[in-house]
Each structure stands twice: as C-alpha cells, then as structure tokens.
Amino acid sequence: MTSWQSCVLRVWSLLLVSMLVPASAQDSTSVHKRFTNDEVISLVQMALSEDVIVAKIRAMNAADPGSLRFDTSVQGLQALKAANVPDEVIRAMINPTATQTSVIALAAPMTLDPNLPPPEVGVYWKDASRFVLIEGQMLSNAKVGGKAGSMFSYGFRGMHWDATLNGPTSSHIVRDHRPVFYLYVPDGSSSSDYVLLKLNKKGNRREFQVGTMAGKFGGGKAGLKTDKEVPFEAEHIGIRTYKVTLRQDLNPGEFAFFMATGQQLNGTDKRSGTGGAASGRIYDFSLPE
C-alpha cells in the first residue's frame, strides 16, 4: 500500500468514527450556544417571572459564558421591548455576571443632606440645625360672616366665608421673629402655590377669609384677604424643595401657610353662594410674646 493510499484510508476512518459517535456524545456546548434573544422571548411568552428568567441567564453564564449569544444592540433592544421583555431581564442579558446584591446596592436610599429638610411633603421651621415639622391639616371648617349686615341691608351688602381652625393658639411654637422655613412641595407644585397668612383670633378659634358673596345682585368670589398675607421670598434649592425667608419680622400672633387644593384663589364664580368653595391644606404655627 502506498503512502497516498494510507493517508486516504486514515481520512475515511476518521469520517466513519465521527458518523458512528452518538449525538449525545458530541460537544454539548453547541446546544447551549443557541441561547439567544429568541429563547428569552419564548420564556417571557411562557409567562415565567422575570426572576426565573434572570436566574436561568445567570446559571447558564456561570456554567459556560460562551453559551449566551444575546443581541443587545439598539435594534436588538428595540425587538426585546417590542416583545415585552422586562427591563430586569434585559439588564441581565447585557450584564449576566451582575448579582442581585449589586442591583440592590444601586437602589440603596440616597444620603440625606443635613442642609435640607427630609424628602417628605410638608412645611419645616429651621430651628438652629434642626428641621422642625409643622404638621398640616385639611381645611374642613368654614362659616359665613357678615350675615347681620347683609340682613339689615336687605341683601344688598355682601357676606364672606371664613375658614376656621379650632383652638385659640397653635400647638406648633416658633420662637424666631424672622424665622426661616423650608417647603417640600407635592409633585407638580411649587412655592407659588403657598401663601403665609396672619390669622384672626376669635374666642376659641382662629380664622381667615377664603371667599366673599357680593350680595343680592352679585356673584361669589374665592380669594384670600391680601391685607392678611405676609410676604416672603422663596428660593428653589433642591428637587421640590424651597427655602422661605420673610421680608420683615413677625409680630407675636397666630400664622399659617395655606396651600389651595380646590378652586383657584382669586378665581371668580358667577353663581351666588359659591364664593367659599376654596379648599386646601393649612400649616399653622404660633409666635408667642
């Protein structure tokens, strides 16, 4: 037998052996290398939870990193979102080595700035280095004022609506004559939605005007009395956070920040009797003698 014939015989022998070896004995990684975007989409369509799919991706990556063949290009990501693949699964496809612990670390609570109030909606008084919360309450009590004058003028003289707070004084005591306040406002609001008012003391209650009725031939009007408003400057210093400084010292008395949440302040309603419809949240405080 010539050397050429011997070489041909060895080649045929190798081909014959490869044909006789069972498929299960061949390179098993060839099956794993087929784990692509399509397989992930199939798992999502099976209604498996994202935790299960992420665990499958990470387990396969740990067993054989070369088994993952994900397309995370812009076009690939567009196809994944179109197939409703959850973001958590897509993140695992982009970085299958990340662990759940590292994800939680990324979502850890932010560090609070000691120069800002807590990120909770409310009004805060800055007492030295402390932020003192002034708890708010919804405007729920109202009464009609000026009824006697309207009656004796046969309805030609108007009446007014007064919002009332129970108690002669507030439980929130502020001891600075020119205090500094901080507002952490609701989403979609700003400092312009707040006014600072001096309240009228009437026996065992405090009150301020929220609307008027112009009499028999007039309409109703919602609006605060401007002579009771205390001017202030508001500086935007953070997300939904404002620093409030007063333009002048306060005299002892009862005060409140008022945020309208119902009918717009200074808006007019032509239907008689609806002038007191303004509603809102009140943050009251007392400046003692």
Side-chain angles (χ1 to χ4, degrees):
M1 180 181 297
T2 65
S3 60
W4 180 84
Q5 290 174 325
S6 177
C7 182
V8 171
L9 182 60
R10 282 197 298 271
V11 171
W12 277 103
S13 297
L14 292 173
L15 289 174
L16 181 61
V17 170
S18 65
M19 293 174 63
L20 294 176
V21 174
S24 59
Q26 298 179 17
D27 186 10
S28 60
T29 61
S30 62
V31 176
H32 296 295
K33 290 179 180 178
R34 297 176 184 173
F35 201 68
T36 65
N37 292 30
D38 291 337
E39 277 68 42
V40 172
I41 292 173
S42 297
L43 295 177
V44 172
Q45 292 174 345
M46 292 169 58
L48 294 175
S49 70
E50 62 183 58
D51 292 341
V52 172
I53 300 174
V54 169
K56 175 66 175 174
I57 293 172
R58 289 175 177 158
M60 294 193 66
N61 180 73
D64 181 9
S67 64
L68 305 181
R69 289 291 185 268
F70 296 136
D71 176 12
T72 56
S73 65
V74 174
Q75 293 78 11
L77 295 177
Q78 289 175 340
L80 290 170
K81 290 304 294 182
N84 297 318
V85 177
D87 289 347
E88 187 65 28
V89 174
I90 295 176
R91 278 193 287 268
M93 295 171 68
I94 295 173
N95 184 12
T97 61
T99 63
Q100 188 66 22
T101 301
S102 64
V103 173
I104 293 175
L106 291 174
M110 62 180 179
T111 302
L112 296 180
D113 188 336
N115 297 315
L116 297 177
E120 298 181 9
V121 173
V123 175
Y124 299 84
W125 167 47
K126 185 69 178 294
D127 180 17
S129 61
R130 298 187 307 126
F131 288 97
V132 180
L133 173 65
I134 298 177
E135 296 181 1
Q137 58 181 298
M138 290 302 298
L139 171 62
S140 57
N141 300 324
K143 69 179 186 67
V144 178
K147 288 188 291 185
S150 178
M151 180 179 64
F152 285 113
S153 63
Y154 300 98
F156 287 94
R157 182 175 174 180
M159 297 183 291
H160 55 85
W161 287 85
D162 295 324
T164 64
L165 294 173
N166 294 327
T169 61
S170 172
S171 60
H172 305 114
I173 306 300
V174 171
R175 302 191 182 280
D176 293 337
H177 284 276
R178 191 175 293 192
V180 175
F181 296 97
Y182 288 77
L183 308 176
Y184 191 88
V185 303
D187 190 23
S189 301
S190 73
S191 61
S192 62
D193 296 317
Y194 292 75
V195 292
L196 177 58
L197 302 169
K198 183 174 177 59
L199 306 180
N200 296 320
K201 294 183 65 173
K202 295 290 184 69
N204 63 346
R205 69 179 186 274
R206 292 151 290 149
E207 62 184 35
F208 63 97
Q209 183 175 301
V210 293
T212 59
M213 290 177 288
K216 181 178 294 186
F217 300 107
K221 181 179 180 181
L224 304 173
K225 290 191 69 174
T226 56
D227 62 337
K228 297 298 182 180
E229 186 174 343
V230 179
F232 63 80
E233 302 289 344
E235 177 187 2
H236 188 210
I237 59 173
I239 298 175
R240 296 164 56 184
T241 306
Y242 296 83
K243 179 181 179 180
V244 172
T245 54
L246 305 184
R247 298 177 184 175
Q248 59 188 28
D249 289 352
L250 296 179
N251 293 321
E254 300 298 316
F255 301 87
F257 283 94
F258 178 64
M259 179 188 178
T261 58
Q263 180 178 333
Q264 291 288 334
L265 296 180
N266 300 322
T268 301
D269 189 335
K270 296 302 183 182
R271 295 169 298 171
S272 179
T274 61
S279 62
R281 194 164 184 84
I282 305 169
Y283 302 86
D284 64 300
F285 64 91
S286 178
L287 181 65
E289 296 285 351

